Amino acid sequence: MSSPGASMFTNFTKLCKGLALVLVVGHALVHFVPATVKYLALIPARTIPFGWNLITSGYFELSVYGVVFSTVSLLFMGKFLEPVWGSKEFLKFIFVVNFLTYLCVFVTAIALYYITRLEIYLYMPFAGFHGVLAGLLVGIKQIIPDQEVLLVKIKAKWLPSIMLVLSVASSFFTLNSAAYLPTLIFGTYMGWLYLRYLQRRPETKLRGDPSDDFAFSTFFPEILRPVIDPVASIFHRMLCGRSNATSEDHGYTTSGAPLPGSDSAEASRRRERGARALEERLATERLVPPKNKDELQSDALDSV
């Protein structure tokens, strides 16, 4: 039987192991063949015609520290999220968030060049998996918001916000903050945008998570939410204003309040099932021999 300490570092999913291998191979490629950086990384001045770097830039790291951090973070966060979402949805989330993140980074870099006329924004290489990792943190916030993690007992719902605050604060003391800060910010926002409006949920045949507990303002302290909510509602109407006309068909009143059995209530039940499945899975890992761990992953997925 495996010990509790050992189980924490095992039972990673096959998909996450495969993605981790992609990150390692990508870093090895640019390390031993540096010329590939200008073809794989997002360099705004070269994105046209090298449009594929909007995709490839997210799947390799420029530094050995980056690849170690990204692979370890992917393995542990994937261990929580993939059994709940399913492998297909987990991979789709990574692809969409990565593409949208680097698309926004590209547009921002071009805009900064026209504003400042500094060519560094055109020729700075943007690369790394940290945008997707920021999005995955939002997934942790959605599924187990009130579960305490880490040694300092931080609730999972605050992890994305704390990460962004620390990143912004550190940017004042680092010279290359422009290479990572936009990616983290857009990765967080695109992760939330996908989960809020785009993720398909088979249990309701609808998209997204419209619950109040996952509103954009929940990334901010409660004292700021009365200011954030009116601004966020403008973008909400832009993104799904047409669906409001048929909101009653989806379980909402015209005032936006959820009806019994509505999508918002289902979102809350979904998070409860996800948290319960994860807790049962982690508890069982301490008791079951390694040979049965593949069965645990399928059991956790079936219970969601």
Side-chain angles (χ1 to χ4, degrees):
M1 296 178 65
S2 59
S3 64
S7 64
M8 182 182 299
F9 299 98
T10 57
N11 199 34
F12 300 120
T13 68
K14 292 181 179 179
L15 176 58
C16 286
K17 290 178 182 178
L19 291 171
L21 181 61
V22 170
L23 294 177
V24 172
V25 172
H27 172 70
L29 180 63
V30 299
H31 177 74
F32 292 107
V33 190
T36 57
V37 172
K38 65 181 181 180
Y39 297 103
L40 298 178
L42 173 63
I43 302 176
R46 296 177 179 270
T47 300
I48 300 174
F50 300 160
W52 59 79
N53 58 34
L54 290 171
I55 297 174
T56 58
S57 54
Y59 299 109
F60 72 95
E61 295 284 349
L62 295 175
S63 70
V64 63
Y65 303 105
V67 73
V68 170
F69 178 80
S70 292
T71 53
V72 171
S73 300
L74 170 64
L75 290 172
F76 278 97
M77 284 196 280
K79 185 178 180 180
F80 280 90
L81 293 173
E82 187 183 340
V84 178
W85 289 350
S87 297
K88 182 179 179 180
E89 179 60 33
F90 184 76
L91 186 61
K92 181 182 176 183
F93 176 89
I94 289 176
F95 179 84
V96 173
V97 170
N98 177 71
F99 174 75
L100 292 179
T101 295
Y102 279 100
L103 179 63
C104 290
V105 170
F106 168 73
V107 173
T108 301
I110 297 297
L112 287 174
Y113 166 72
Y114 281 108
I115 293 171
T116 64
R117 292 297 174 175
L118 296 176
E119 291 189 355
I120 187 176
Y121 295 114
L122 291 181
Y123 295 99
M124 176 184 297
F126 295 92
F129 198 66
H130 42 282
V132 173
L133 294 179
L136 292 176
L137 270 184
V138 179
I140 297 291
K141 166 187 171 71
Q142 180 197 38
I143 292 177
I144 48 174
D146 295 318
Q147 183 164 322
E148 293 182 340
V149 296
L150 306 178
L151 298 177
V152 290
K153 302 298 182 181
I154 299 173
K155 287 189 176 182
K157 64 182 179 181
W158 294 115
L159 290 180
S161 304
I162 292 173
M163 179 272 297
L164 287 178
V165 170
L166 293 177
S167 299
V168 172
S170 66
S171 68
F172 292 101
F173 306 99
T174 55
L175 298 177
N176 62 338
S177 59
Y180 67 85
L181 189 58
T183 310
L184 290 174
I185 293 174
F186 287 124
T188 301
Y189 185 70
M190 291 304 158
W192 174 81
L193 196 72
Y194 180 89
L195 295 173
R196 180 72 167 176
Y197 297 107
L198 301 178
Q199 187 180 53
R200 184 181 296 276
R201 288 169 293 121
E203 69 270 18
T204 61
K205 296 182 180 180
L206 298 174
R207 292 181 180 271
D209 180 355
S211 62
D212 292 338
D213 293 335
F214 197 57
F216 183 70
S217 60
T218 60
F219 287 88
F220 299 86
E222 201 163 333
I223 192 173
L224 296 178
R225 293 178 189 176
V227 179
I228 301 297
D229 279 329
V231 178
S233 66
I234 297 175
F235 293 96
H236 174 77
R237 287 194 294 269
M238 291 172 58
L239 288 168
C240 57
R242 294 178 63 182
S243 65
N244 289 340
T246 57
S247 58
E248 290 189 17
D249 295 335
H250 295 286
Y252 287 84
T253 64
T254 54
S255 63
L259 293 171
S262 70
D263 198 35
S264 180
E266 180 62 33
S268 298
R269 290 196 294 270
R270 179 171 175 262
R271 286 197 297 275
E272 291 174 1
R273 292 197 300 270
R276 186 167 57 252
L278 289 171
E279 290 173 358
E280 292 173 354
R281 179 172 177 266
L282 293 175
T284 310
E285 280 183 357
R286 300 185 178 94
L287 303 174
V288 178
K291 64 179 183 179
N292 291 331
K293 286 186 176 180
D294 287 340
E295 299 176 5
L296 292 178
Q297 180 176 338
S298 60
D299 290 343
L301 180 60
D302 292 342
S303 62
V304 178

